[in-house]
């Protein structure tokens, strides 16, 4: 933005940029009136490492490890997205089994992504317990990743036209067991958060996006769900 | 004007060619993806029409490419590729070829608000000027950064030492 925020009669405060090990390095310049944010400007470039430029000097397969680092929680999903794009350029069709394993990995990533998102959100509002409950599940899923590809965070599991390796023996039963346990943890956190006075006070009616804003900014996904607008999941298919 | 295979356009966007066929340079279809190469001066009019008359209500992405190898479009280098999307599971990608020196194209931020940041990104990384954009400033690179890193003529080891703290006024 070219112009500074008007400072009067607001308190101007810099939130961040904070350390990269936090939820993401972002600088927010806010105008505060008491506890209420009246206006803000964003500086989003801190996490930009220009992987696209690095990809120019590497081969197609050498780019896969870069995609691990695009989002450290859903490395698997970024692996899948990248190799699917390359396969589309090549006109290659992968086997049904490979497609299914990729879907399972992407879904597990999506689950841990949501666990971290909700857990960290609660931590920021002062509720640490939920985070540990969710982290236990997240660790279990990382065990599954480790068994499949040898790495927990930076997986590099996919290859153009396939995967690094097939699933090890007993993996599917192990995975089922972990997934079966998940609802219990969700119930635990639901009990802690959903009717929690502090959680409700700090989230309900905060940062509400009007339907008009959602349409003109082309927003899709969970933010639109409560408003009955089409979500990406309904309107397109990933694989 | 090259030969245009119109079947895939009519299947995906019925009635489009009847009104806007003259703005097309080429139609590309690959693995079910429809790409319309259009004339730069027609971009705003086409995007407006796709939004209001053909139900493409959402802008998924807008980005640029630097084609090092240029064949049929002599002198053309950078293109802006808005991808539009409908709730009826239809996707179309528009491609525009613009010149290497002082590349510029009309902004579409007032048609799709989501284009605002995408256009800033394309300016930051490729140096494409979007005419009519309200504040075309760098969005990812530091304000001191010189050049546009994703252009092929920018060296891959072109590191720059940046010292100044970001001014709050420059955000």
């Amino acid at each position: 933005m070219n112009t500074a925020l008007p400072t009067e009669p607001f308190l101007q405060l810099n939130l961040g940029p904070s350390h990269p090990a936090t939820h993401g390095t972002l600088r927010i310049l806010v105008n505060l009136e008491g506890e209420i944010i009246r206006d803000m400007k964003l500086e989003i470039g801190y996490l930009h490492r220009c992987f696209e430029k690095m990809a120019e000097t590497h081969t197609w397969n050498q780019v896969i490890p870069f995609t691990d680092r695009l989002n450290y929680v859903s490395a698997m999903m970024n692996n899948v997205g990248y190799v699917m794009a390359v396969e589309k350029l090549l006109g290659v069709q992968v086997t049904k089994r490979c497609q299914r394993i990729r879907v399972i990995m992407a879904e597990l990533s999506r689950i841990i992504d949501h666990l971290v998102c909700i857990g960290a959100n609660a931590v920021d509002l002062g509720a640490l317990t939920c985070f540990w409950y969710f982290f236990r599940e997240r660790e279990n899923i990382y065990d599954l990743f480790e068994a499949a590809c040898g790495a927990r965070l930076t997986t590099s599991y996919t290859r153009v036209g396939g995967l690094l390796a097939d699933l090890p023996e007993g993996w599917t039963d192990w995975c089922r067991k972990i997934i079966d346990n998940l609802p219990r943890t969700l119930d635990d956190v639901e009990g802690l958060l959903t009717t929690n006075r502090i959680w409700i006070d700090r989230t309900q009616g905060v940062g509400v996006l009007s339907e008009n804003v959602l349409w003109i900014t082309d927003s899709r996904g969970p933010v639109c769900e409560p408003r009955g607008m089409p979500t990406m999941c309904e309107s397109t298919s990933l694989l | 004007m090259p030969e245009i295979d119109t079947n895939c356009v009519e299947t995906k966007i019925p009635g489009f060619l009847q009104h806007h066929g003259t703005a097309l340079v080429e139609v590309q279809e690959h693995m079910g993806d429809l790409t319309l190469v259009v004339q730069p001066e027609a971009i705003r009019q086409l995007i407006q029409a796709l939004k209001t008359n053909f139900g493409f209500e959402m802008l998924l992405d807008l980005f640029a490419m630097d084609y090092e190898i240029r064949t049929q479009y002599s002198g053309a280098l950078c293109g802006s590729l808005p991808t539009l999307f409908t709730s009826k599971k239809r996707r179309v990608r528009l491609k525009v070829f613009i010149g290497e020196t002082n590349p510029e194209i009309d902004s579409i931020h007032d048609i799709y608000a989501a284009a605002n940041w995408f256009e800033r990104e394309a300016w930051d990384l490729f140096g494409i000027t979007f005419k009519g954009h309200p504040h075309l400033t760098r969005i990812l690179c530091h304000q001191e950064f010189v050049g546009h890193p994703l252009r092929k003529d920018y060296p891959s080891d072109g590191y720059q030492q940046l010292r100044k703290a970001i001014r709050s006024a420059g955000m």
Side-chain angles (χ1 to χ4, degrees):
Chain A
M1 310 283 161
N2 278 333
T3 47
L5 290 169
T7 46
E8 294 297 324
F10 303 111
L11 172 70
Q12 199 164 64
L13 193 70
N14 263 303
L15 300 179
S18 39
H19 191 267
T22 58
H23 325 310
T25 320
L26 172 72
R27 180 192 178 198
I28 312 170
L29 184 67
V30 291
N31 270 353
L32 291 176
E33 191 181 354
E35 260 206 336
I36 298 164
I37 297 169
R38 291 298 181 194
D39 200 0
M40 65 159 78
K41 295 272 182 278
L42 296 173
E43 180 73 39
I44 63 168
Y46 292 95
L47 276 178
H48 183 242
R49 288 158 289 184
C50 223
F51 284 133
E52 308 96 307
K53 194 70 186 175
M54 286 162 74
E56 282 179 13
T57 53
H58 291 72
T59 66
W60 296 99
N61 275 321
Q62 284 173 337
V63 174
I64 295 169
F66 296 157
T67 64
D68 292 337
R69 286 141 180 93
L70 298 176
N71 173 353
Y72 70 98
V73 194
S74 33
M76 284 286 191
M77 229 189 274
N78 293 311
N79 292 166
V80 173
Y82 169 71
V83 293
M84 276 175 67
V86 180
E87 283 157 9
K88 201 171 193 177
L89 287 172
L90 276 171
V92 168
Q93 182 87 33
V94 295
T95 60
K96 274 267 175 276
R97 181 175 173 83
C98 175
Q99 283 178 22
R100 284 171 188 154
I101 295 174
R102 285 179 180 184
V103 170
I104 291 167
M105 290 305 185
E107 284 297 274
L108 289 172
S109 291
R110 192 172 61 86
I111 291 167
I112 50 178
D113 226 332
H114 287 302
L115 295 181
V116 170
C117 175
I118 295 167
N121 194 354
V123 168
D124 291 344
L125 299 183
L128 199 63
T129 318
C130 317
F131 193 59
W132 301 132
Y133 283 180
F134 275 163
F135 241 62
R136 190 181 55 206
E137 297 302 330
R138 184 187 168 203
E139 286 301 306
N140 287 340
I141 293 175
Y142 276 156
D143 287 343
L144 286 173
F145 287 173
E146 195 177 4
C149 66
R152 297 169 78 81
L153 267 81
T154 48
T155 49
S156 298
Y157 186 43
T158 59
R159 291 292 182 273
V160 176
L163 295 162
L164 162 72
D166 201 354
L167 295 172
E169 221 181 300
W171 194 91
T172 43
D173 291 333
W174 184 11
C175 179
R176 277 206 182 87
K177 221 171 96 186
I178 287 171
I179 296 302
D180 286 344
N181 276 332
L182 205 57
R184 214 171 54 192
T185 309
L186 293 181
D187 285 346
D188 285 347
V189 173
E190 183 120 42
L192 283 167
L193 277 189
T194 309
T195 54
N196 183 312
R197 189 72 254 166
I198 303 167
W199 173 257
I200 290 172
D201 282 351
R202 298 214 154 195
T203 53
Q204 205 169 49
V206 173
V208 178
L209 298 169
S210 71
E211 194 159 320
N212 195 26
V213 169
L214 293 175
W215 276 119
I216 64 167
T217 55
D218 300 325
S219 304
R220 290 298 183 275
V223 287
C224 302
E225 248 164 43
R227 302 194 164 260
M229 290 166 60
T231 62
M232 278 305 274
C233 306
E234 276 170 46
S235 49
T236 186
S237 58
L238 173 68
L239 298 169
Chain B
M1 194 192 225
E3 197 75 12
I4 292 176
D5 173 23
T6 52
N7 287 336
C8 44
V9 185
E10 277 307 312
T11 329
K12 292 207 171 159
I13 323 171
F16 181 80
L17 290 174
Q18 200 183 331
H19 295 101
H20 305 286
T22 52
L24 293 187
V25 178
E26 197 192 339
V27 174
Q28 301 165 346
E29 204 191 21
H30 177 69
M31 305 279 281
D33 281 354
L34 179 64
T35 305
L36 309 176
V37 183
V38 302
Q39 284 158 0
E41 55 273 14
I43 187 83
R44 274 185 64 87
Q45 176 210 334
L46 278 186
I47 286 179
Q48 187 70 65
L50 284 167
K51 185 176 184 180
T52 48
N53 305 334
F54 298 97
F56 288 89
E57 59 211 18
M58 180 179 173
L59 176 77
L60 277 185
D61 201 358
L62 187 155
F63 62 100
M65 291 272 283
D66 187 344
Y67 289 92
E68 214 171 4
I69 303 157
R70 300 177 275 283
T71 50
Q72 68 218 82
Y73 313 96
S74 59
L77 174 72
C78 298
S80 98
L81 293 85
T83 308
L84 307 177
F85 186 70
T86 67
S87 49
K88 295 191 190 76
K89 299 186 183 180
R90 288 183 303 174
R91 247 177 225 238
V92 65
R93 189 179 297 141
L94 301 181
K95 201 186 251 187
V96 182
F97 282 90
I98 45 183
E100 187 174 7
T101 46
N102 298 323
E104 54 175 31
I105 191 155
D106 290 325
S107 168
I108 55 161
H109 78 279
D110 49 340
I111 305 173
Y112 291 101
N116 190 316
W117 278 22
F118 287 138
E119 288 178 353
R120 284 178 66 191
E121 185 193 16
W123 184 81
D124 190 358
L125 302 180
F126 289 91
I128 297 171
T129 308
F130 289 85
K131 285 181 284 184
H133 192 287
H135 41 257
L136 202 61
T137 52
R138 290 197 185 274
I139 187 169
L140 295 173
C141 294
H142 193 278
Q143 58 188 14
E144 265 184 85
F145 196 88
V146 180
H148 303 283
L150 282 189
R151 301 263 302 236
K152 289 285 197 295
D153 54 14
Y154 190 93
S156 55
D157 57 351
Y159 300 108
Q160 295 184 26
Q161 197 80 44
L162 306 171
R163 294 168 189 284
K164 280 184 211 145
I166 295 179
R167 300 185 308 270
S168 60
M171 285 184 76

